[in-house]
Amino acid sequence: SDTHGTHTAGTVAADAQPINGSTSNRGIAWAARIAHTTGFPFSTFNSVATTHHNVGARMHTNSWGDDGTTSYNTICNQIDLFQWNNEDDLVFFAATNTSSLKNPENAKNQLAVEASSNGFGANSKCSGGVGPTADGRRKPEVFAPGCNIISASTGTCSTSSLSGTSMACPAVAATGALVRQYFQEGFYPTGSKVPANGFDPTGALVKAVLVNT
């Protein structure tokens, strides 16, 4: 258990609590599975993400980064290399909580997420660095509620409230999983489930749907 990691994982895939047929405290993609690696060096992102891909992961949520630089460096290259080689996948990064966009949310092919307020305040910014990137690209791409988010805590069957872009990123990644499921189960283009219409969407298609909704 880890306060930050447990909280973000709960937002992605936590089941109801208590488990009694209700939906209370469920995560966004509450029946999803999670592949997780702890404490890997930035320079090995491609290798670690590939390991996750090989066990079935397609949406990759990351609530960490380097607030010390805006340069397109090794970790950015690793992210874009992974995306180039795995078109079914989509990498998500929480943007910095400082005032201006940092790293590695400035990588080209991942989706940068910032935090809006929660509930009735969802149209207001909560936290996240202002773009564009150092080379002029428009980022971040999306906002999601990240202030006062209740999710899993390290206590026994308990929850806690945390705030920041770290809380917004897993919500968007989990929504990406639902978008992927929508296409896989054949809801496009009729809006009804027609299995014969199902297909595996690319990460680019999932990203386009998220950005445009």
Side-chain angles (χ1 to χ4, degrees), residues 87-110:
E87 292 187 353
D88 286 352
D89 295 61
L90 184 57
V91 176
F92 302 79
F93 264 87
T96 180
N97 287 299
T98 64
S99 60
S100 60
L101 209 67
K102 298 294 184 183
N103 180 293
E105 63 267 24
N106 60 357
K108 290 196 314 179
N109 294 326
Q110 50 79 42

Side-chain angles (χ1 to χ4, degrees), residues 27-103:
I28 302 296
W30 61 272
R33 293 177 295 171
I34 295 175
H36 175 69
T37 299
T38 300
F40 59 89
F42 286 1
S43 60
T44 63
F45 181 89
N46 178 51
S47 174
V48 172
T50 299
T51 297
H52 293 171
H53 171 92
N54 289 341
V55 296
R58 293 297 181 268
M59 303 291 111
H60 304 262
T61 181
N62 298 273
S63 291
W64 54 272
D66 180 5
D67 286 349
T69 182
T70 60
S71 65
Y72 185 90
N73 60 8
T74 299
I75 178 58
C76 296
N77 176 264
Q78 289 276 304
I79 294 165
D80 288 337
L81 176 65
F82 173 77
Q83 285 280 194
W84 177 263
N85 289 326
N86 298 276
E87 292 187 353
D88 286 352
D89 295 61
L90 184 57
V91 176
F92 302 79
F93 264 87
T96 180
N97 287 299
T98 64
S99 60
S100 60
L101 209 67
K102 298 294 184 183
N103 180 293

Side-chain angles (χ1 to χ4, degrees), residues 1-210:
S1 64
D2 170 83
T3 298
H4 184 269
T6 299
H7 196 279
T8 56
T11 296
V12 173
D15 205 344
Q17 188 276 324
I19 301 174
N20 59 4
S22 74
T23 60
S24 178
N25 294 326
R26 276 182 175 171
I28 302 296
W30 61 272
R33 293 177 295 171
I34 295 175
H36 175 69
T37 299
T38 300
F40 59 89
F42 286 1
S43 60
T44 63
F45 181 89
N46 178 51
S47 174
V48 172
T50 299
T51 297
H52 293 171
H53 171 92
N54 289 341
V55 296
R58 293 297 181 268
M59 303 291 111
H60 304 262
T61 181
N62 298 273
S63 291
W64 54 272
D66 180 5
D67 286 349
T69 182
T70 60
S71 65
Y72 185 90
N73 60 8
T74 299
I75 178 58
C76 296
N77 176 264
Q78 289 276 304
I79 294 165
D80 288 337
L81 176 65
F82 173 77
Q83 285 280 194
W84 177 263
N85 289 326
N86 298 276
E87 292 187 353
D88 286 352
D89 295 61
L90 184 57
V91 176
F92 302 79
F93 264 87
T96 180
N97 287 299
T98 64
S99 60
S100 60
L101 209 67
K102 298 294 184 183
N103 180 293
E105 63 267 24
N106 60 357
K108 290 196 314 179
N109 294 326
Q110 50 79 42
L111 188 66
V113 181
E114 298 208 1
S116 68
S117 297
N118 203 356
F120 290 110
N123 286 331
S124 301
K125 180 179 177 179
C126 166
S127 182
V130 175
T133 63
D135 60 1
R137 287 174 291 112
R138 180 178 292 182
K139 279 187 180 285
E141 291 92 345
V142 295
F143 279 77
C147 266
N148 304 312
I149 301 300
I150 297 172
S151 187
S153 77
T154 58
T156 301
C157 296
S158 61
T159 60
S160 63
S161 176
L162 293 177
S163 295
T165 59
S166 285
M167 285 63 252
C169 186
V172 178
T175 304
L178 299 182
V179 171
R180 179 176 169 81
Q181 182 179 358
Y182 176 88
F183 288 111
Q184 286 181 311
E185 295 188 350
F187 283 93
Y188 178 82
T190 66
S192 299
K193 185 176 180 179
V194 181
N197 290 338
F199 65 95
D200 290 338
T202 63
L205 177 55
V206 174
K207 182 178 181 180
V209 171
L210 292 171

